[in-house]
Amino acid sequence: MAHTSKDREKLLIRVRRIRGQVEAIERALGEEHECADVLQLVAGCRGALNGLMAELVEGHIWFHVLDPSRGKDSAQAAAAEELIDIVKAYLK
C-alpha cells in the first residue's frame, strides 16, 4: 500500500494516540469512574478511529481506485472528491 508507506509515521502517531485513549477507557472502568465520563472517553476514541478510517479510505481512493493517467481536473477526480467528502461526513 503505497499511501500507508508514505504516511507511515503520521498514521502510527494516530494509532498510538488511539491506543492511549483506549487505555484511558480501561483505567476509567477499572477505577469505577462515572458512566458519563466513560461515555465521553469512548466517544473521543470513536471519533479518533473514524478520523483514521477517513484518512485511510481517502488514500485508498487516490492511490488504488483512480486512474493515475487522468489529471486532478478530470471528472473521475471530481467524483472521487465528492465520495471522499461523503465518507468524511458519514464518519463525523
Side-chain angles (χ1 to χ4, degrees):
M1 292 174 101
H3 61 99
T4 55
S5 296
K6 182 181 73 117
D7 298 328
R8 176 179 318 184
E9 195 56 38
K10 184 172 77 169
L11 293 170
L12 286 172
I13 289 168
R14 289 183 82 144
V15 168
R16 289 179 189 123
R17 189 176 312 124
I18 291 166
R19 180 186 314 135
Q21 290 175 302
V22 171
E23 289 170 354
I25 294 168
E26 182 179 13
R27 281 191 306 275
L29 289 170
E31 297 168 3
E32 298 182 12
H33 284 236
E34 293 293 322
C35 63
D37 296 335
V38 176
L39 288 168
Q40 189 67 33
L41 291 169
V42 171
C45 187
R46 180 177 179 254
L49 280 170
N50 283 347
L52 176 63
M53 175 65 85
E55 188 168 337
L56 290 170
V57 167
E58 180 177 0
H60 182 77
I61 290 169
W62 285 117
F63 289 94
H64 299 292
V65 176
L66 291 176
D67 182 356
S69 67
R70 295 185 185 199
K72 292 276 186 181
D73 297 329
S74 70
Q76 187 184 41
E81 284 287 350
E82 187 176 295
L83 176 60
I84 290 165
D85 289 345
I86 290 167
V87 169
K88 285 181 177 180
Y90 176 77
L91 291 173
K92 276 194 168 189

